[in-house]
Every structure is written in structure tokens, then in C-alpha cells.
Amino acid sequence: MMRPSTLSRLAFAALYLAPVALAARADEGMWLINRPPLEQMKAKYGFEATPEWLEHVQRSCVRVSTGGSGSIVSADGLVMTNHHVASDILEKLSSKERNLLETGFYAKTAAEEQKCPDLHLDVLWKIDDVTERVEGAAKGLATAEAGAARRKAQTQIEDEAKQASGMHCEVVTLYQGGRYHLYQYKRFDDVRLVFAPEQQIAFYGGDNDNFEFPRYDLDCTFFRIYENGAPLVAEHFLRWSRAGTQDGDMVFVAGHPGSTQRLNSVAHLEYLRDVAVPFVLGRLMRNEVWLQTFSGKSAEHARIARGDLFSAQNSRKVYVGRLAGLLDPKVLEKKSSEEAQLRAAVDANPEWKAKWGDAWSKIAQAEASAAAMYKRYSAIGSGALNLGTDTFAFAKDIVRLADEKSKPSGERLREYGDAGLEALLDAIYSPAPLYPEFETYRLESALSFMAETLGANDAIVIAALGGKSPRARAEECVRGTKLFDIAERKRLVEGGKAAVDASNDPLLQLVKVLDPHSRQMRKKWEDEVQSVERESYAKIAAAKFAVQGESVYPDATFTLRLSYGAIKGYSQNDALVAPYTDISGLFQKAQERPAEAAYALPPSWKGARDAVALKTPFNFVSTNDIIGGNSGSPVINRAGEVVGLIFDGNIQSLVGNYVYSEEQARSVSVDARGMLEALKSVYKAERVVQELEKSTTAR
Amino acid sequence: MMRPSTLSRLAFAALYLAPVALAARADEGMWLINRPPLEQMKAKYGFEATPEWLEHVQRSCVRVSTGGSGSIVSADGLVMTNHHVASDILEKLSSKERNLLETGFYAKTAAEEQKCPDLHLDVLWKIDDVTERVEGAAKGLATAEAGAARRKAQTQIEDEAKQASGMHCEVVTLYQGGRYHLYQYKRFDDVRLVFAPEQQIAFYGGDNDNFEFPRYDLDCTFFRIYENGAPLVAEHFLRWSRAGTQDGDMVFVAGHPGSTQRLNSVAHLEYLRDVAVPFVLGRLMRNEVWLQTFSGKSAEHARIARGDLFSAQNSRKVYVGRLAGLLDPKVLEKKSSEEAQLRAAVDANPEWKAKWGDAWSKIAQAEASAAAMYKRYSAIGSGALNLGTDTFAFAKDIVRLADEKSKPSGERLREYGDAGLEALLDAIYSPAPLYPEFETYRLESALSFMAETLGANDAIVIAALGGKSPRARAEECVRGTKLFDIAERKRLVEGGKAAVDASNDPLLQLVKVLDPHSRQMRKKWEDEVQSVERESYAKIAAAKFAVQGESVYPDATFTLRLSYGAIKGYSQNDALVAPYTDISGLFQKAQERPAEAAYALPPSWKGARDAVALKTPFNFVSTNDIIGGNSGSPVINRAGEVVGLIFDGNIQSLVGNYVYSEEQARSVSVDARGMLEALKSVYKAERVVQELEKSTTAR
């Protein structure tokens, strides 16, 4: 599934580098929406994107706070995304008695649309280049101080913009320091659930078929945005295509790819290959086994852990693919030769050499520092102090907020700046259900991982465990904490530092033990790794612009990007894989593998075989260049209409973090026609069907 | 399941330390059969073991070459062991068309009894103390040379004894160097399958219920020993108890516990806690996920990988338990205080201090060396050069044997000494089925693990991968090798070094790349870790004998041990767990968890509900002190009759590697009455039933 992997969301900063890109060939590129590849699209497909077309697409797309993409698809604010992007929310709306992941959901009337906890959608409204101001703040300062000055400037720009526009504001680092753009979003936090199928059909084939093709997944969910208690009157939305696509058609994907490392320096890629990626992969596999063990205890345990388990498995597959890419000598050889070429061009020009020539060795130094501290930094929850449990996260935010709030916004840890405060409080006051047994289990896992990684004689481990085993310490913390109670969280936030200092809540105590260490390592990481990378990649970016011109795309940063391509099959094991599957293939697959739970049909589909048009296209592949975070992105035709819904890439696309290849790598979508047919004939979801048909362009 | 964990079988030498034991309390102890705890048994249970009783038990027990225990239970050589000890063999007797793990097996006639590939059973016939000769060989030598001299003496003693008696001979290191005993075994390698139930009932509850209680597992299999083509006329065998047991009865377990580290020094335990155990655990979880991924591809893939997967899961549970024990401060505190006491006693006596006082710091040094090389050593397959695939193992044995055979037996790598040659050749010429896709997958996994652990720029990784990705290299090796063919293996073994040198078989080439490095590290490990440990633990053993007297048991070494105890429930989460389950509980469990595959009943049992006596005891727990390797051990009453069959320990027993506790730790057995009832009423296995009933003592 194309969502950002679990652990990358846990602030593994080192995986988030986005240096400057080479000139794109083939259908390569996750392009800035305000800097689209106009010439390439025109040359290859004869398509001319107008400013209106681009703005319309931009303002019809949404970023989903659970870590994915989506789009507005009706005048009344109906939003389409993936089921696996929505599944966190579906889980939070579920209970032991009512399991929406198992049963699916359809609001037969407007009144039945379910308000979603912890969900907000962002629509990108405005982009400004603020590079000069950010770089100006750092001018003449030494590396570490320059890094701090840049972070401070970013926060100030965000705060000022938010004050002025009221919008949600983020200064985005592009080309890993080559450019800084201010993104202003309309943020919607009254979002309601309209329709979701059963997870069994949304994720048909399970972990086994994840990142494979042919596929038969109805991986969609529909929400609706509300404003002032009523459905949004959408200024922009994508119309539903009546005609659909055929093999070879040009299509676009507009969404929020999470992160790529396409143009990391070779030393940086080697660090990822030899240190970060194997470590993260090991941790993901460990999480997977821990979560499976928990899930085996009962059906209810399985329900509670399902989201975490799927996420761990999905990320594990992603990282297996990444590692395989990094261990493929062809990939690193390509990178090495490109880097050698660029360096040769820089070295050949004395002025360039003086300005930029040291960038690569500086990055190599930064990666050596990163390698030296990576395991320790990860083991304590990194700079975000994330131990993977909800109640510990509340405790951490409460303690940190109490410390940070007294400082000026620009001097706080970035995530506690004024611009993000509202969202932070929403998260702390989340009404989503919590499960003490699961909290204990995950905290035990995190504490044990700390001991496994650092050794039990390590001072921070001794302090965290407080003379107890990981299990006993986790039990003590979860049994003793009052943070299950929203009112208590509120009391502590509002009481500020005095209330936090006075509390003997064991989870707050645990945070207080770990926090100084996490902050200290975060500073070291920012100074010795991140700031050096920023500075050096800015030089490399400048060199690239000078040598190769400006027509390059930055690495993915979970911000809006446009990708273009075509619907196209590929060859695998000497056989051709056709670009489309149809609904009849789903029934055939279920028949072929009757004994496996992953291939069972949910009752709704079992009963619908005769009612459904079997020849309707169901899933398809296209050459679009996407990556985790693109999940839920609309696939759009030249007319700007929805023809599909991105939900995955094939296994050959997983190397896409480092290189794009049009040969076999494909993105995988639900066909809009298959979705509509399912809504009609399987689910009888009349309200949604009518709304989508109304949205269809009359032609 | 109580079998030695996968990775410990892969020669993780560091986990195999068996220092001297403290005086036993409670029902503690895995006692040498020639040094039983006569006084304790008499004092606590009023039981007096006669020499005849002990010899009879000794010669009725068997060690199973797949890594478990068993016993002869009829005059015609019928052998009882666990299904999970036999499952390797059942897998080898299976094919895509005939899956014995799924269907079970019953030989209705003698002619139908199935000859088992790769299986031999050892009956311990004779024990001699050879400490003086082994230590004599090392006298006056420096540590590393002394270690080599001891290993050479061990091999010589084995070779001589084999020559004299024709039996299979092993010099066993006890008290980790405190004593050396020569064990002579009758080895039987014509072993045939008589009866096995379906794995579904043998391993009922699956990974989820593994190491839990209450349980409902029919974890048994019956083989028959043949000699000269006819059933063995057994000199010794255990009779089947007619009466069975009741709560509180004294029972014995005679079997082959694999390894414990009960009396490792504290520094040694800390090394295990902080380095070895977390690393092995991470690797086990990684294997588990890799194997699950393979298994998901199809039912046939699942069948092929099933044994490896179960084994990885079982070992993972064991290691989770071990790590939890090591991370429980109470355990290490107990060890520290015991060690401090002994050291104080040694230091108080000038003569003792001079002789033994440096042992603990020497071990600490050895563990520091071990920690420094452990990951690299493991990543390359350790000294045994084990990459976890069958064809690579053939290649390794062929290459090493060609090199070793020209040396005198005592100077070879220990496993290529004359005494073990026959068994080695049997393994190389194994007719068991091989699966190219699985070989490729496991080799890819091992090569990738090497790169993940050492980094792709490491010289040995570069050499092993030969400029290819792990996947491509594994494909190349497996596609190109001729070692799937037994005749080719024979040709290479018989052709010796010349044939091996002339071959360009890619698997032989891969071995040749890795072998020098593995040998070099093995020497370093033997010299800097193992030899220092041997010498130092011998000192500690001497100190313990001096301070505490000689009535102590050595740590487990996969040799025959006797444990005594009683049938007894325990308390868990403030509730009492009764010592017995009965057959009705099995049907109840199946009813309670209808949706989970692990709790489905096989068809034989579904249909037998009315035929079977539901109140028959099925599984029970007792206080006997056992550990992995004890799987398949008979549980015996005072009369020397079979009353049960060990197959597991509860979760509280997993800390037993380091400490025994009578409070909650229990061994778990199939009740002999449950077995007989199932054979009678579910399987109608008349031949076996009659044989067991005939074996019953008339009383």
C-alpha cells in the first residue's frame, strides 16, 4: 500500500532527505504543482496544461492527516481516498460490538454520516517562495548555528502567515535545502464517514498480494467535508469520468508522495543501505512478530492490533524492496557514475569548485556521524520521543508542551510552534478508544527494544526501567497513569509546567527520564547531520541547476505533486501482464484459493455475483511515478476527470525510492468504473452513486 | 515445544556453556544418570532408585537425531517420541500429493511401516570418566594451545573407543570443562514410521498456545527400530502404565535436555543478555517473517516451509522467554549474590585464590572478545558455516571434508573426526526431497543477512555476492549447482580434493569464498573465547566442588539426564491452574474459537466425539526440571512405567535456561491414558494399541 511507512512516520529524520533531481526522462517525476513539466508533457503526449487546469487540480486535492492523499469528487464535498488510508479512522469508529473494518459502512442518509475522530484534510491553496528569507537568516553563520537560524526563520514565517491568512501554514524544505516554499492550506476538521467497503475486499489478497499485480482490490473509502455543520460547497472538485480509460491513455496522478531519496549522494545511500534501512527493517519485522503474537490471543486482540499489524507488514514490504534496491549493484553504480559526472563538472570550474566542491565530503562526514548515533537515537524513540503507544505520546506532548510554551514560537522544538498548536491539542484530546492491554504490550515492546539495542547496563535503560523488567515497568506505567482520561490530559495541558511538575503520573515520570536524552541527541543530530546535509545539498542543488538547468523535480516531501504517464502493461518472468483486471477475475481468484483467508470474499460480494457486471474493469496499472503517501491520489484524465484511484505500486516499483524505471515499475489503481459498479450493484449505495453520477461531465 | 531452538543448533557455541551447578533445592536438576540425586529423592519423596532401575531407564531411552528425546516402549522396538520431534521426518516422507503432516499416518501392517530418511536413534550404553586423560593432554600449555590439545584428545578418545566397541562415541564436556565423560551409544539407523496423528491435533492451538497451559495436544509419534531388517528385540523397554497417575504423584523424566546456562558467570550472562540473545532473537523474527512471506505464496509453498517456520516460531518464543528472564533484575541479582558469595569464599583462602581467583575476570575478558566478534561470526554462518540451506550444507561438507580428510583424525575440525564420519556421509547422501525455489529463497535470505549485518562494502560480502544482488547471486548458485543429484555429491566426496578443486559448481565456489574466513574466525573464537571459558569454568567448578561439595548437576548438554518431580498445578493471574486437562476440554476449545485455523479439529476428531471417552486425562503438568531437547522424553512412575510424554514447558518455565523455580514453572506432557484412548477410539490403530497393552505390566 502506498502510504508512508510506519517508521518513517516515527520521525526517522535520516530517511527524509530530498536533494535535487536530474533531468527527467520517460514518465519520471513527482513534479511541483507550481512547476509542472510542461515541455515534457507536450513533447511526449501533446498535452498542454493550462494554469486553470493546474489550479483546479491543486484545489481539488486533499492531504489526509492519517498519512495519505485524496480528492474532492462532488460539489457537496464528497472526498475519495483509499480504504487503507481511512482504516485508522474506521478502527477508531469501531468497538468490540461494531467492527467497521469487518462489516464496512454506508450512511443511508445524511444524518448517518459519522463524524471522524482525529481526522483533518488539507487543501493546498497558495504557494510562495521564501528561500531568500530563510537563507538570509542563516547568512554568515557557522553550520550548526545556521541550521538553528533556518529552523527559527521557518517557524516565524509560518506563524506570521497563519496570523495573516488564518490558514494552516508550512514552510517546506525542497531540494533538501535548495529551496524553501511556504505552503498555505485550507484545513477541514469536520470530516464524516460516508462509505467504506469491508477490509476483506479493500485489501483482497492481504499481505501476500500487497505490492503485486494483477489485483482485485476495492481499496476506496468516501468521506464528506463539513463546514459550519453543513456539507462543504466545493469551489473545486474533480468530476467523475463517464467514459473511463483504455490501454495507452495518458493519465495524471495528483497527490502527496511521502519521501524519496532519488538523488542522495552515494555516501548517503551507503549509509541508508548499511545502517538505517537494515535497522528499520529489523525493527519492522520485530514489530510484526510482536503484533502477530498479540493478535493470536483472541479475535478481539486481533481487532485491536489490526491497524498496527497491517501497517508493520506494509512497511516491511516497502523496506524489503528498498533494501533489495540498495543491494542491487546496478542502482549504486548508476548513482556513482552520475555523481562522478557532476563532481567532474564542478571541479572543472574553479569558481564552482571553491563554492560547492566540498559538499560531497561534508555529506559523507555527516553520514558517518549519523551512523555512529543512529541505533541509540532510534532506540530511545528518536528526537520525537516516539515509543509507539498512544498514552506515552500524550505524556510526551504534555511534558514537552509545558516546557516549550514559555519560549517564543521560533525557539521551540519545531512541532510545538504556534502554527501547529491547534492540531497538537486536537491530538492530545483525541477521543479515540484506548486499550490498556495493548498500551502495556506496546510499551513493554519499546522498553525491551531499548534494552536489546543498548544493553541493560546502559544508563538510560537503567533509568527507564527503574529496576524492573520491561514487562513489569510497562504494567506499572499503564496501570498507574491517569492519561486514559481526556479531562486529566486537559488539566495537565492547561495547568502547564506547574501541573506537570506536581504530577507523579508514572508515564509523565517516564517521559521526564527520557526527554533530556532525546533532546540532547536531537540537537546533536540536527547540528552534525541535518544542518550539514542542508548546507551541502543546497550546494549540490546549486551545482545541478548550474550544470543541468532548472527543469528538475525535488524529492518527495509529503506535499502536493503531479505525475504524468500512461496506462500500460509490462512484462514479468517473460510473460506480459495486461494493464487491466476485471471483476470476473476476482471471483475466479476466490475460486482458485478457497482455503486461504486472504482470498475469501465478504458476504456482500458472494451474494452479488449474478448482479454485478463481470466485465467491468476493476484495477489497472500505469507508468505514473509515485511513492508511499500517494495512496488515495486520484488518477485523472486530460479533461481533469477521475478515472481511477491510486492504491499501490507493483513490487518492481519499490526501488522507486532511489530510481524510477518505466520498464517494469507501475502504479496500481482501482478503476473508477469498477468502483461505481461495486457501489451500485454490490452495496446499493444509492446516495453515493447518484452524487458521483451527478458529478459526471455531460458529454 | 521443548526441542533445542533452531539457531542454537546452528552452532552458536557461545550459548552452550555448562558451568558447575549449585546444590539443588526443590525439584531442581537435570541429573547425570550415573550420578542421580539419591538423597534428595529419598528425603523428599521416599524413593530409592536402585542401580537396576537406573540402568533399565538409561537403556530404554533414545536420543533422536532430529534434536529430541524418545523411549523404547515395547519388546518389539516400538519408540515413542513427539510429533514435533518427528515432523522433520514426516515432511521428508511427504510430497505435494501426499502430505503426512496434514493427514497423519498409520501402518496397518508391518509391511507398511515407512523407512525414515536421515533419522537415527542413539541408546546410551556406557559412561566412563576420561577427565584425567583430557586434562593431562593440556597440562602446562598456554590457554589457546591447551584448548586445541583438549579437542584433539577428545577426538582421539572417541576414535579409539569406536574402534574397540563399534559403538557411536562422544566425549562430553560437563561442568563446561570441570569433567569429561566418554559416552558410548548403540546407534540405530533403520527406523520406520508406525503412527503419527495429524499436525493439527499434535500442535493444537499452534504458535498461540505453544508454551501455554491448559493444553490439548496429541503431540506423539511412534517409530520402530529395525535391526538386520527385523524389528528390534529390545533388551530394555519401558512398560505402559495401566493405572496412570493422579495429582501429587512422583514422576521422573529421562531425556536429553539441550543446553542451559544456569551457572554462567554474571559477565557471561550479561553478554548473553546484551549481545547474543537479542541478536539471535532478531534473526529468528527475521526468519519467521521471511518464511511466512514464502508460505503465503501458495499451499505448496506453505507445505515446503512449514517445518522451518514452526521451528523459527518455536525458537522465537523460547528466546523471548530467555530474554525476559535475563531482563528481570531479580534473576541477575540472584546470580550476582551467589557469585559474590563463592568468590568471597575463594578469596578468603590464599591457596584457592591463587589457583582459581582469576577465573571470573578471565571469563569477563572472553565475553568481551565474544561480543566484539559475535555479529560478524554469526553473519557468515559461524564456525559451522551454516547458511540454513540444504544444498549449501552439502557443498560445505564436501569442501571441508576434502580438506580435512588428509589430516589425522585428531587434528581435523571436530565434526570431521573419524568417529562421526559415517553419520556425516549419511547426511551428505540424504535422499530427502529438495526444493530449488526454497533453496534459492533461503540462500538469498542468508546472503542478504550477511550484507545487512556487515554492510555491503565489507570485503567478505563483496566476495560472497560477486557483484550481484543477494537475489541474483542466490539464483545463480541454485540454478547452476549439480548438488541436487546424490550421485554428484558422491562423485565429489569420493573424488576428494582433486574433484573438489576441479569443480566449478557455483555452490562449491561460494563455500570456497567463505570457508577461509569462517575457519579463521572459528580459530579466534576457540582460542579467545571457548578455551578461556573451558579453563576458567574448570576452575570455578573446582571451587564449587571445594566449597559446596560434589552433589551438583552440570548444565544440560543434549545428553541423558534424569529429573524428578511431582504432578502439580500452579497459580497464575491469581487463579489456580489444575494439573490435568481431559479430552472434553479439547472439544470445548474448538467450539469456543470456531473462526481460528489453529483451533480447528482434524476430521478424524470431529467424527470421533461420540466414540471417545471424554473424561480421559489428555495433558498434564509436573514440576520436573526440563529444557529444549527434552521433547519426546517419557514421563515415568516409580515402577519405571510410562505415564506420559513430555512435549512442552509452560511460559513460566522459559526462564529455566538460567534459573529453576518450582513456584510456577511446569513441564507439560501428553497423558499416557489420553494417548491410548486416541489410538483406540479416534485412530483405530489396533496394532499399536495391542502392542502397548501387551507392554502393560500385569498388576
Side-chain angles (χ1 to χ4, degrees), chain A residues 218-406:
Chain A
L218 185 67
D219 192 353
C220 68
T221 288
F222 290 89
F223 291 116
R224 189 184 309 283
I225 295 175
Y226 280 69
E227 216 177 19
N228 306 318
L232 176 75
V233 180
E235 231 178 296
H236 294 276
F237 66 93
L238 302 177
R239 295 184 177 278
W240 201 264
S241 161
R242 187 179 294 270
T245 52
Q246 55 188 18
D247 193 356
D249 277 2
M250 184 189 200
V251 285
F252 307 87
V253 173
H256 297 79
S259 82
T260 52
Q261 297 82 40
R262 292 254 171 107
L263 286 140
N264 279 15
S265 78
V266 171
H268 198 160
L269 289 171
E270 287 179 337
Y271 155 77
L272 292 175
R273 180 193 65 192
D274 295 338
V275 180
V277 170
F279 186 83
V280 172
L281 185 54
R283 189 171 186 180
L284 286 167
M285 290 180 167
R286 179 183 183 280
N287 281 359
E288 184 171 343
V289 172
W290 273 76
L291 291 164
Q292 279 174 331
T293 305
F294 185 85
S295 301
K297 292 185 184 182
S298 78
E300 174 63 0
H301 284 82
R303 185 188 72 76
I304 289 170
R306 175 139 55 173
D308 279 32
L309 177 56
F310 281 9
S311 169
Q313 290 179 322
N314 186 58
S315 299
R316 179 255 303 157
K317 249 190 172 174
V318 169
Y319 271 81
V320 165
R322 287 190 192 176
L323 184 66
L326 288 169
L327 287 175
D328 180 351
K330 287 198 296 291
V331 172
L332 260 286
E333 277 159 22
K334 181 170 183 288
K335 300 291 181 186
S336 294
S337 102
E338 286 167 3
E339 182 168 303
Q341 256 181 299
L342 182 62
R343 292 185 72 166
V346 168
D347 288 349
N349 177 323
E351 190 195 337
W352 289 359
K353 188 176 179 185
K355 275 199 296 187
W356 306 323
D358 65 350
W360 290 269
S361 65
K362 283 271 174 69
I363 292 173
Q365 267 171 38
E367 302 320 317
S369 300
M373 66 180 120
Y374 186 74
K375 285 181 191 180
R376 162 167 292 272
Y377 194 36
S378 306
I380 61 160
S382 87
L385 197 50
N386 187 332
L387 297 191
T389 96
D390 294 317
T391 46
F392 183 87
F394 297 145
K396 181 257 302 179
D397 279 334
I398 288 167
V399 170
R400 287 198 160 174
L401 187 57
D403 284 330
E404 295 300 297
K405 234 182 154 180
S406 60

Side-chain angles (χ1 to χ4, degrees), chain B residues 380-512:
Chain B
I380 61 160
S382 88
L385 197 50
N386 187 332
L387 297 192
T389 96
D390 294 317
T391 46
F392 183 87
F394 297 145
K396 181 255 303 180
D397 280 334
I398 288 167
V399 170
R400 286 198 160 174
L401 187 58
D403 284 330
E404 295 299 298
K405 234 181 154 180
S406 61
K407 305 176 193 169
S409 174
E411 284 166 29
R412 298 179 201 158
L413 297 176
R414 283 273 287 140
E415 63 272 30
Y416 298 93
D418 283 341
L421 227 47
E422 218 178 300
L424 180 76
L425 291 179
D426 282 352
I428 300 178
Y429 303 150
S430 164
L434 297 164
Y435 304 94
E437 190 180 347
F438 195 37
E439 294 293 298
T440 305
Y441 189 78
R442 291 189 294 182
L443 187 57
E444 177 196 359
S445 174
L447 291 171
S448 184
F449 185 72
M450 221 180 272
E452 290 160 35
T453 308
L454 305 178
N457 285 341
D458 189 275
I460 193 77
V461 175
I462 291 173
L465 290 177
K468 298 202 164 50
S469 71
R471 177 77 205 166
R473 180 70 172 129
E475 278 172 356
E476 174 183 68
C477 286
V478 174
R479 206 177 284 147
T481 188
K482 296 192 189 105
L483 299 182
F484 286 93
D485 179 10
I486 298 176
E488 172 67 6
R489 289 178 236 152
K490 225 165 213 152
R491 186 188 74 76
L492 285 162
V493 168
E494 286 165 5
K497 196 155 168 49
V500 169
D501 285 349
S503 165
N504 58 3
D505 190 292
L507 275 177
L508 296 186
Q509 301 293 338
L510 181 58
V511 170
K512 288 176 198 166

Side-chain angles (χ1 to χ4, degrees), chain B residues 74-117:
Chain B
S74 87
D76 298 324
L78 193 68
V79 168
M80 171 181 79
T81 184
N82 288 143
H83 184 277
H84 76 265
V85 170
S87 60
D88 271 12
I89 303 302
L90 297 170
E91 209 172 296
K92 289 177 178 175
L93 289 171
S94 294
S95 64
K96 195 173 174 181
E97 291 71 34
R98 173 183 120 128
N99 185 347
L100 298 189
L101 290 166
E102 204 175 304
T103 60
F105 177 84
Y106 168 49
K108 286 204 191 73
T109 64
E112 286 174 42
E113 296 185 359
Q114 299 275 306
K115 176 108 175 64
C116 299

